[in-house]
Amino acid sequence: MENIAFYFELHQPLRLRPLKIQDRPDKMGIFWEEQNRDIFKRISEISYIPATKLLMESGIKSTFSLSGTFIEQALKYSPETIDVIDDYVKSGLCELMGETYFHSLASIWNEDEFKYQVNEQMHSIKSIFNYSPVSFRNTELIYNNRIAEMARDMGFRNILAEGTDEVSGRYSPNFRYLSPSGVNLYLRNYPMSDNISFRFSNTAWSGYPLTADKYIQWIKNSPGDIMNLYMDYETFGEHQRKETGIFDFVHYLGKYIEQYGMETLKIDEIQAKFSVKDTVSIDKTISWADTRRDLSAWLGNKMQNEAFSRLKHCEDCPDKKLWRYLQTSDLIYYMSMGEPEDFTVHEYFNPYRSPYLAFIYYMYALDNVCGNAGKQL
Protein backbone atom coordinates (compact mmCIF):
# COMPACT_ATOMS: atom_id res chain seq x y z
CA MET A 1 0.00 0.00 0.00
CA GLU A 2 1.32 3.41 -0.94
CA ASN A 3 -1.35 5.85 0.29
CA ILE A 4 -2.37 7.20 3.70
CA ALA A 5 -5.39 9.30 4.69
CA PHE A 6 -5.02 11.06 8.04
CA TYR A 7 -8.14 12.47 9.67
CA PHE A 8 -8.14 14.34 12.99
CA GLU A 9 -10.99 15.41 15.26
CA LEU A 10 -10.56 18.81 16.94
CA HIS A 11 -13.18 19.27 19.63
CA GLN A 12 -13.48 20.68 23.13
CA PRO A 13 -16.77 20.81 25.05
CA LEU A 14 -18.06 23.54 27.32
CA ARG A 15 -17.81 21.64 30.59
CA LEU A 16 -20.43 22.30 33.25
CA ARG A 17 -19.53 23.96 36.51
CA PRO A 18 -19.91 21.63 39.54
CA LEU A 19 -22.79 23.56 41.11
CA LYS A 20 -24.66 22.89 44.33
CA ILE A 21 -28.42 23.16 44.73
CA GLN A 22 -28.07 26.40 46.69
CA ASP A 23 -26.07 28.05 43.88
CA ARG A 24 -27.99 30.47 41.69
CA PRO A 25 -25.75 31.32 38.73
CA ASP A 26 -26.83 33.29 35.71
CA LYS A 27 -27.44 31.01 32.76
CA MET A 28 -23.93 31.24 31.26
CA GLY A 29 -22.60 30.63 34.76
CA ILE A 30 -23.48 26.95 34.43
CA PHE A 31 -20.34 26.56 32.29
CA TRP A 32 -16.98 26.04 33.98
CA GLU A 33 -15.26 29.05 32.43
CA GLU A 34 -11.97 28.76 34.30
CA GLN A 35 -11.61 25.03 33.60
CA ASN A 36 -12.57 25.36 29.94
CA ARG A 37 -10.14 28.24 29.44
CA ASP A 38 -7.23 26.55 31.19
CA ILE A 39 -7.72 23.24 29.40
CA PHE A 40 -8.02 24.85 25.98
CA LYS A 41 -5.00 27.11 26.40
CA ARG A 42 -2.86 24.28 27.74
CA ILE A 43 -3.77 21.84 24.97
CA SER A 44 -3.32 24.53 22.32
CA GLU A 45 0.23 25.13 23.52
CA ILE A 46 1.27 21.50 23.81
CA SER A 47 -0.80 19.95 21.02
CA TYR A 48 -2.87 21.93 18.50
CA ILE A 49 -0.29 24.56 17.59
CA PRO A 50 2.94 22.50 17.51
CA ALA A 51 1.24 19.50 15.86
CA THR A 52 -0.24 21.62 13.06
CA LYS A 53 3.06 23.39 12.43
CA LEU A 54 4.81 20.01 12.30
CA LEU A 55 2.33 18.54 9.80
CA MET A 56 2.77 21.59 7.60
CA GLU A 57 6.57 21.55 7.83
CA SER A 58 6.59 17.81 7.07
CA GLY A 59 4.35 18.23 4.02
CA ILE A 60 1.82 15.77 5.45
CA LYS A 61 -1.72 16.16 4.14
CA SER A 62 -4.61 15.54 6.49
CA THR A 63 -8.29 16.30 7.03
CA PHE A 64 -9.60 18.18 10.08
CA SER A 65 -13.06 18.47 11.53
CA LEU A 66 -13.60 21.35 13.94
CA SER A 67 -16.65 21.42 16.19
CA GLY A 68 -18.33 24.76 16.75
CA THR A 69 -17.53 24.64 20.45
CA PHE A 70 -13.87 24.11 19.52
CA ILE A 71 -13.94 27.11 17.18
CA GLU A 72 -15.61 29.34 19.78
CA GLN A 73 -13.05 28.51 22.44
CA ALA A 74 -10.13 28.85 20.03
CA LEU A 75 -11.26 32.34 19.04
CA LYS A 76 -11.70 33.28 22.69
CA TYR A 77 -8.74 31.61 24.36
CA SER A 78 -6.15 30.88 21.65
CA PRO A 79 -6.48 32.86 18.39
CA GLU A 80 -3.08 31.51 17.37
CA THR A 81 -4.68 28.07 17.06
CA ILE A 82 -7.09 29.44 14.44
CA ASP A 83 -4.23 31.23 12.67
CA VAL A 84 -2.04 28.13 12.38
CA ILE A 85 -4.95 25.98 11.17
CA ASP A 86 -5.78 28.68 8.61
CA ASP A 87 -2.16 28.62 7.40
CA TYR A 88 -2.34 24.84 7.07
CA VAL A 89 -5.58 25.04 5.08
CA LYS A 90 -4.22 27.79 2.81
CA SER A 91 -1.11 25.68 2.16
CA GLY A 92 -3.34 23.19 0.35
CA LEU A 93 -2.33 20.38 2.70
CA CYS A 94 -5.47 20.40 4.89
CA GLU A 95 -9.10 19.67 4.09
CA LEU A 96 -11.85 20.79 6.48
CA MET A 97 -14.94 18.66 7.09
CA GLY A 98 -18.52 19.31 8.06
CA GLU A 99 -19.88 18.07 11.39
CA THR A 100 -22.42 19.08 14.04
CA TYR A 101 -21.65 22.48 15.55
CA PHE A 102 -22.35 21.29 19.09
CA HIS A 103 -20.77 17.84 18.67
CA SER A 104 -24.19 16.44 19.52
CA LEU A 105 -26.28 13.30 19.20
CA ALA A 106 -28.86 15.13 17.06
CA SER A 107 -28.43 12.71 14.15
CA ILE A 108 -30.05 9.86 16.10
CA TRP A 109 -33.21 11.68 17.19
CA ASN A 110 -34.01 14.89 15.28
CA GLU A 111 -33.23 15.36 11.59
CA ASP A 112 -34.13 19.05 11.51
CA GLU A 113 -31.96 19.78 14.54
CA PHE A 114 -29.13 17.75 13.03
CA LYS A 115 -29.24 19.70 9.76
CA TYR A 116 -29.44 23.01 11.61
CA GLN A 117 -26.31 22.23 13.59
CA VAL A 118 -24.38 21.05 10.55
CA ASN A 119 -25.32 24.21 8.67
CA GLU A 120 -24.19 26.31 11.64
CA GLN A 121 -20.81 24.59 11.65
CA MET A 122 -20.48 24.99 7.87
CA HIS A 123 -21.25 28.69 8.21
CA SER A 124 -18.49 29.08 10.80
CA ILE A 125 -15.98 27.26 8.62
CA LYS A 126 -16.89 29.45 5.66
CA SER A 127 -16.75 32.73 7.57
CA ILE A 128 -13.46 31.99 9.37
CA PHE A 129 -11.51 29.94 6.81
CA ASN A 130 -13.37 30.82 3.59
CA TYR A 131 -13.79 27.10 3.04
CA SER A 132 -16.81 25.03 2.01
CA PRO A 133 -16.53 21.38 3.16
CA VAL A 134 -17.61 18.57 0.85
CA SER A 135 -16.77 15.76 3.30
CA PHE A 136 -18.65 14.94 6.49
CA ARG A 137 -17.97 13.18 9.76
CA ASN A 138 -20.62 12.83 12.36
CA THR A 139 -20.07 13.25 16.11
CA GLU A 140 -17.75 10.47 17.32
CA LEU A 141 -18.16 8.76 13.92
CA ILE A 142 -21.77 7.87 14.76
CA TYR A 143 -23.00 6.33 11.54
CA ASN A 144 -25.74 4.36 9.83
CA ASN A 145 -27.28 4.33 6.36
CA ARG A 146 -29.79 7.04 7.28
CA ILE A 147 -27.07 9.41 8.50
CA ALA A 148 -25.22 8.93 5.20
CA GLU A 149 -28.46 9.72 3.36
CA MET A 150 -28.94 12.92 5.36
CA ALA A 151 -25.35 13.92 4.62
CA ARG A 152 -25.95 13.34 0.91
CA ASP A 153 -29.10 15.47 1.04
CA MET A 154 -26.99 18.29 2.49
CA GLY A 155 -24.58 18.12 -0.45
CA PHE A 156 -21.71 16.11 1.02
CA ARG A 157 -19.98 13.59 -1.23
CA ASN A 158 -17.82 11.82 1.39
CA ILE A 159 -18.51 10.44 4.85
CA LEU A 160 -16.43 8.61 7.47
CA ALA A 161 -17.38 5.64 9.66
CA GLU A 162 -15.72 3.27 12.09
CA GLY A 163 -14.36 0.02 10.71
CA THR A 164 -15.87 -2.05 13.51
CA ASP A 165 -14.98 -5.73 13.80
CA GLU A 166 -18.35 -6.67 12.34
CA VAL A 167 -17.98 -4.33 9.36
CA SER A 168 -14.29 -4.92 8.68
CA GLY A 169 -14.88 -8.67 8.92
CA ARG A 170 -16.73 -8.32 5.63
CA TYR A 171 -15.13 -5.19 4.18
CA SER A 172 -11.49 -4.27 4.60
CA PRO A 173 -11.20 -0.63 5.77
CA ASN A 174 -8.44 -0.10 3.23
CA PHE A 175 -10.66 0.71 0.24
CA ARG A 176 -13.11 3.26 -1.07
CA TYR A 177 -16.75 2.23 -0.67
CA LEU A 178 -20.20 3.67 -1.32
CA SER A 179 -23.10 3.96 1.08
CA PRO A 180 -26.48 2.75 -0.27
CA SER A 181 -27.37 6.42 -0.85
CA GLY A 182 -24.31 6.91 -3.06
CA VAL A 183 -21.97 8.84 -0.75
CA ASN A 184 -18.31 7.82 -0.74
CA LEU A 185 -17.78 5.87 2.48
CA TYR A 186 -14.37 5.55 4.13
CA LEU A 187 -13.87 3.19 7.06
CA ARG A 188 -11.41 3.83 9.87
CA ASN A 189 -8.67 1.23 10.25
CA TYR A 190 -8.97 1.22 14.02
CA PRO A 191 -6.13 -1.21 14.89
CA MET A 192 -3.58 0.85 12.97
CA SER A 193 -5.03 4.14 14.22
CA ASP A 194 -5.02 2.97 17.83
CA ASN A 195 -1.40 1.83 17.51
CA ILE A 196 -0.60 5.55 17.55
CA SER A 197 -3.37 7.09 19.62
CA PHE A 198 -3.55 4.50 22.44
CA ARG A 199 -0.52 2.21 22.28
CA PHE A 200 2.35 4.47 21.22
CA SER A 201 3.79 4.92 24.72
CA ASN A 202 2.63 1.60 26.20
CA THR A 203 5.82 -0.18 27.16
CA ALA A 204 3.90 -3.43 27.73
CA TRP A 205 2.67 -3.48 24.12
CA SER A 206 4.37 -6.05 21.89
CA GLY A 207 4.92 -3.40 19.21
CA TYR A 208 6.75 -1.02 21.54
CA PRO A 209 8.70 1.05 20.67
CA LEU A 210 6.77 2.22 17.62
CA THR A 211 9.23 3.90 15.29
CA ALA A 212 8.28 5.75 12.11
CA ASP A 213 10.21 3.29 9.96
CA LYS A 214 8.48 0.29 11.54
CA TYR A 215 5.05 1.90 11.15
CA ILE A 216 5.60 2.79 7.51
CA GLN A 217 6.67 -0.79 6.82
CA TRP A 218 3.45 -2.04 8.38
CA ILE A 219 1.50 0.24 6.05
CA LYS A 220 3.49 -0.77 2.97
CA ASN A 221 2.90 -4.43 3.73
CA SER A 222 -0.86 -3.98 4.24
CA PRO A 223 -3.21 -5.02 1.41
CA GLY A 224 -5.58 -2.50 -0.11
CA ASP A 225 -5.54 0.99 -1.62
CA ILE A 226 -5.57 3.42 1.29
CA MET A 227 -4.66 3.31 4.98
CA ASN A 228 -7.40 5.29 6.78
CA LEU A 229 -5.93 6.60 10.04
CA TYR A 230 -8.44 8.57 12.09
CA MET A 231 -7.86 9.84 15.63
CA ASP A 232 -8.32 12.65 18.15
CA TYR A 233 -5.89 15.46 17.42
CA GLU A 234 -5.00 15.60 21.11
CA THR A 235 -3.11 12.35 20.46
CA PHE A 236 -0.15 14.58 19.62
CA GLY A 237 1.15 16.27 22.74
CA GLU A 238 -1.76 15.62 25.16
CA HIS A 239 -2.68 11.93 25.16
CA GLN A 240 0.82 11.08 23.99
CA ARG A 241 3.07 13.68 25.59
CA LYS A 242 6.04 15.24 23.84
CA GLU A 243 8.35 13.27 26.15
CA THR A 244 7.13 10.00 24.59
CA GLY A 245 8.73 10.99 21.28
CA ILE A 246 5.39 11.45 19.47
CA PHE A 247 6.49 14.60 17.64
CA ASP A 248 9.73 12.98 16.54
CA PHE A 249 7.62 10.08 15.29
CA VAL A 250 5.54 12.42 13.11
CA HIS A 251 8.66 14.23 11.87
CA TYR A 252 10.30 11.02 10.71
CA LEU A 253 7.01 9.66 9.43
CA GLY A 254 7.00 12.51 6.92
CA LYS A 255 10.55 11.70 5.88
CA TYR A 256 9.86 7.97 5.40
CA ILE A 257 6.67 8.69 3.46
CA GLU A 258 8.75 10.74 1.05
CA GLN A 259 11.67 8.27 1.02
CA TYR A 260 9.44 5.32 0.13
CA GLY A 261 7.53 7.23 -2.52
CA MET A 262 4.28 7.07 -0.57
CA GLU A 263 1.58 9.73 -0.57
CA THR A 264 -0.76 11.29 1.99
CA LEU A 265 -4.21 12.19 0.71
CA LYS A 266 -7.01 14.42 1.91
CA ILE A 267 -10.37 12.65 2.10
CA ASP A 268 -11.79 14.34 -0.99
CA GLU A 269 -8.72 13.39 -3.04
CA ILE A 270 -9.32 9.64 -2.68
CA GLN A 271 -12.18 9.47 -5.19
CA ALA A 272 -10.01 10.65 -8.09
CA LYS A 273 -7.37 8.02 -7.33
CA PHE A 274 -9.35 4.85 -6.56
CA SER A 275 -12.46 3.14 -7.87
CA VAL A 276 -15.26 1.91 -5.63
CA LYS A 277 -14.63 -1.49 -4.11
CA ASP A 278 -18.23 -2.23 -3.07
CA THR A 279 -21.41 -0.79 -1.57
CA VAL A 280 -21.54 -1.15 2.21
CA SER A 281 -24.89 -1.14 3.99
CA ILE A 282 -24.83 -0.43 7.75
CA ASP A 283 -28.29 -0.35 9.30
CA LYS A 284 -27.08 -0.73 12.89
CA THR A 285 -25.81 2.52 14.41
CA ILE A 286 -22.08 2.39 15.08
CA SER A 287 -19.46 4.80 16.45
CA TRP A 288 -15.77 4.86 17.33
CA ALA A 289 -16.42 5.13 21.08
CA ASP A 290 -15.38 2.46 23.58
CA THR A 291 -14.81 -1.21 22.84
CA ARG A 292 -18.45 -1.81 21.88
CA ARG A 293 -18.34 0.92 19.19
CA ASP A 294 -22.05 1.67 19.35
CA LEU A 295 -24.18 4.21 21.26
CA SER A 296 -23.62 2.68 24.70
CA ALA A 297 -20.97 5.30 25.58
CA TRP A 298 -23.87 7.81 25.75
CA LEU A 299 -26.97 5.67 26.27
CA GLY A 300 -25.61 2.73 28.26
CA ASN A 301 -27.14 3.32 31.69
CA LYS A 302 -30.26 4.70 33.37
CA MET A 303 -28.67 8.04 34.24
CA GLN A 304 -27.71 8.69 30.63
CA ASN A 305 -31.09 7.66 29.28
CA GLU A 306 -32.91 9.85 31.79
CA ALA A 307 -30.68 12.82 30.99
CA PHE A 308 -31.03 12.33 27.24
CA SER A 309 -34.80 11.96 27.48
CA ARG A 310 -35.08 15.14 29.52
CA LEU A 311 -32.85 16.99 27.05
CA LYS A 312 -35.05 15.98 24.12
CA HIS A 313 -38.20 17.05 25.94
CA CYS A 314 -36.65 20.49 26.47
CA GLU A 315 -36.74 21.16 22.73
CA ASP A 316 -39.13 24.10 23.24
CA CYS A 317 -36.76 25.73 25.72
CA PRO A 318 -36.76 29.51 25.09
CA ASP A 319 -32.97 29.73 25.20
CA LYS A 320 -32.11 27.53 22.20
CA LYS A 321 -28.39 28.34 22.21
CA LEU A 322 -27.89 27.18 25.78
CA TRP A 323 -30.06 24.11 25.16
CA ARG A 324 -27.83 23.25 22.20
CA TYR A 325 -24.67 23.62 24.29
CA LEU A 326 -26.21 21.05 26.63
CA GLN A 327 -26.55 18.66 23.67
CA THR A 328 -22.75 18.31 23.50
CA SER A 329 -22.18 14.56 23.66
CA ASP A 330 -19.29 14.78 26.14
CA LEU A 331 -21.65 15.93 28.89
CA ILE A 332 -23.60 12.68 28.65
CA TYR A 333 -20.45 10.64 28.00
CA TYR A 334 -19.17 11.72 31.43
CA MET A 335 -22.09 9.77 32.97
CA SER A 336 -20.94 6.49 31.41
CA MET A 337 -19.44 3.74 33.52
CA GLY A 338 -18.55 1.78 30.38
CA GLU A 339 -17.14 -1.70 30.19
CA PRO A 340 -14.21 -2.55 32.52
CA GLU A 341 -11.74 -2.20 29.63
CA ASP A 342 -13.03 1.34 28.97
CA PHE A 343 -12.79 2.55 32.56
CA THR A 344 -9.38 4.21 32.25
CA VAL A 345 -10.46 6.24 29.23
CA HIS A 346 -13.68 7.38 30.91
CA GLU A 347 -11.84 8.33 34.08
CA TYR A 348 -9.29 10.32 32.05
CA PHE A 349 -11.91 12.44 30.27
CA ASN A 350 -14.37 12.95 33.13
CA PRO A 351 -13.59 16.31 34.81
CA TYR A 352 -15.66 15.27 37.86
CA ARG A 353 -14.12 11.81 38.35
CA SER A 354 -17.58 10.37 38.92
CA PRO A 355 -20.40 9.56 36.48
CA TYR A 356 -22.90 10.24 39.28
CA LEU A 357 -21.62 13.77 39.80
CA ALA A 358 -21.69 14.33 36.03
CA PHE A 359 -25.38 13.35 36.08
CA ILE A 360 -26.21 15.63 39.01
CA TYR A 361 -24.47 18.66 37.48
CA TYR A 362 -26.07 18.02 34.10
CA MET A 363 -29.61 17.72 35.42
CA TYR A 364 -29.11 20.85 37.51
CA ALA A 365 -27.94 22.70 34.37
CA LEU A 366 -31.05 21.52 32.51
CA ASP A 367 -33.19 22.82 35.38
CA ASN A 368 -31.38 26.14 35.22
CA VAL A 369 -31.76 26.52 31.45
CA CYS A 370 -35.10 24.84 30.80
CA GLY A 371 -37.00 25.28 34.05
CA ASN A 372 -39.79 22.75 34.39
CA ALA A 373 -39.76 21.83 30.68
CA GLY A 374 -39.41 18.12 30.13
CA LYS A 375 -39.73 17.14 33.79
CA GLN A 376 -42.96 15.21 33.20
CA LEU A 377 -41.58 12.38 31.03
Side-chain angles (χ1 to χ4, degrees), residues 27 50 114 140 155 251 289 306 314 340 369:
K27 290 195 173 180
F114 169 71
E140 302 297 311
H251 170 75
E306 181 179 345
C314 290
V369 172

Side-chain angles (χ1 to χ4, degrees), residues 4-10 47-64 84-85 87-89 91-95 196 229 231-234 236 246-247 249-255 257 264:
I4 305 169
F6 287 108
Y7 153 75
F8 302 114
E9 174 191 273
L10 287 81
S47 175
Y48 302 141
I49 294 169
T52 306
K53 288 180 177 179
L54 179 57
L55 289 174
M56 196 161 26
E57 292 165 1
S58 302
I60 294 176
K61 292 181 180 179
S62 71
T63 301
F64 283 8
V84 74
I85 293 172
D87 288 342
Y88 189 33
V89 172
S91 74
L93 294 171
C94 180
E95 175 184 354
I196 298 176
L229 301 173
M231 58 197 84
D232 287 334
Y233 204 36
E234 291 85 2
F236 306 104
I246 191 68
F247 289 112
F249 173 81
V250 174
H251 170 75
Y252 284 104
L253 201 63
K255 290 188 175 298
I257 287 170
T264 52

Side-chain angles (χ1 to χ4, degrees), residues 90-343:
K90 287 177 178 175
S91 74
L93 294 171
C94 180
E95 175 184 354
L96 298 178
M97 303 190 82
E99 74 152 80
T100 57
Y101 187 99
F102 298 93
H103 202 72
S104 75
L105 303 178
S107 63
I108 67 172
W109 76 277
N110 189 317
E111 181 174 341
D112 290 338
E113 178 67 19
F114 169 71
K115 290 183 176 180
Y116 172 85
Q117 293 189 24
V118 175
N119 282 326
E120 283 293 289
Q121 190 262 1
M122 296 271 282
H123 176 75
S124 293
I125 295 294
K126 179 65 176 177
S127 63
I128 295 170
F129 301 101
N130 192 29
Y131 194 99
S132 299
V134 296
S135 304
F136 180 75
R137 60 88 60 190
N138 196 21
T139 304
E140 302 297 311
L141 291 194
I142 294 173
Y143 179 88
N144 58 36
N145 290 338
R146 178 59 186 147
I147 292 170
E149 186 178 351
M150 290 191 291
R152 180 207 61 191
D153 292 345
M154 298 188 73
F156 295 107
R157 54 178 176 249
N158 310 298
I159 192 167
L160 307 186
E162 175 68 295
T164 65
D165 289 337
E166 181 179 353
V167 173
S168 60
R170 294 175 292 153
Y171 305 98
S172 164
N174 302 339
F175 293 94
R176 172 190 166 203
Y177 295 103
L178 286 182
S179 72
S181 54
V183 179
N184 290 310
L185 173 62
Y186 299 106
L187 302 172
R188 174 179 180 252
N189 188 314
Y190 85 79
M192 284 292 285
S193 300
D194 290 355
N195 284 341
I196 298 176
S197 57
F198 289 109
R199 290 183 278 272
F200 181 80
S201 59
N202 182 0
T203 57
W205 174 43
S206 62
Y208 183 87
L210 182 60
T211 63
D213 189 22
K214 181 195 294 186
Y215 194 70
I216 286 297
Q217 289 298 328
W218 288 352
I219 294 174
K220 283 186 66 68
N221 294 331
S222 298
D225 294 330
I226 182 91
M227 180 61 66
N228 291 312
L229 301 173
Y230 309 161
M231 58 197 84
D232 287 334
Y233 204 36
E234 291 85 2
T235 293
F236 306 104
E238 168 66 1
H239 303 161
Q240 303 293 341
R241 296 302 179 100
K242 179 180 179 181
E243 293 75 22
T244 67
I246 191 68
F247 289 112
D248 291 332
F249 173 81
V250 174
H251 170 75
Y252 284 104
L253 201 63
K255 290 188 175 298
Y256 282 117
I257 287 170
E258 181 179 3
Q259 178 179 322
Y260 289 120
M262 301 173 74
E263 187 175 5
T264 52
L265 299 173
K266 296 175 285 187
I267 297 298
D268 196 46
E269 293 179 328
I270 301 173
Q271 178 176 344
K273 197 173 181 68
F274 301 110
S275 59
V276 172
K277 178 74 170 176
D278 206 342
T279 297
V280 177
S281 178
I282 303 175
D283 291 316
K284 175 184 174 183
T285 304
I286 60 175
S287 77
W288 73 356
D290 289 359
T291 52
R292 293 175 62 177
R293 293 180 163 79
D294 55 16
L295 296 178
S296 59
W298 305 278
L299 301 175
N301 63 46
K302 290 182 178 180
M303 291 186 298
Q304 292 176 303
N305 281 283
E306 181 179 345
F308 189 54
S309 181
R310 172 86 193 283
L311 173 71
K312 291 188 292 182
H313 281 82
C314 290
E315 184 176 1
D316 294 329
C317 172
D319 197 327
K320 286 283 194 181
K321 186 72 179 286
L322 283 179
W323 174 68
R324 288 182 170 120
Y325 282 132
L326 293 178
Q327 289 188 47
T328 300
S329 61
D330 309 60
L331 304 180
I332 297 178
Y333 178 88
Y334 298 151
M335 303 173 202
S336 175
M337 290 174 277
E339 300 296 323
E341 54 267 40
D342 302 317
F343 179 78

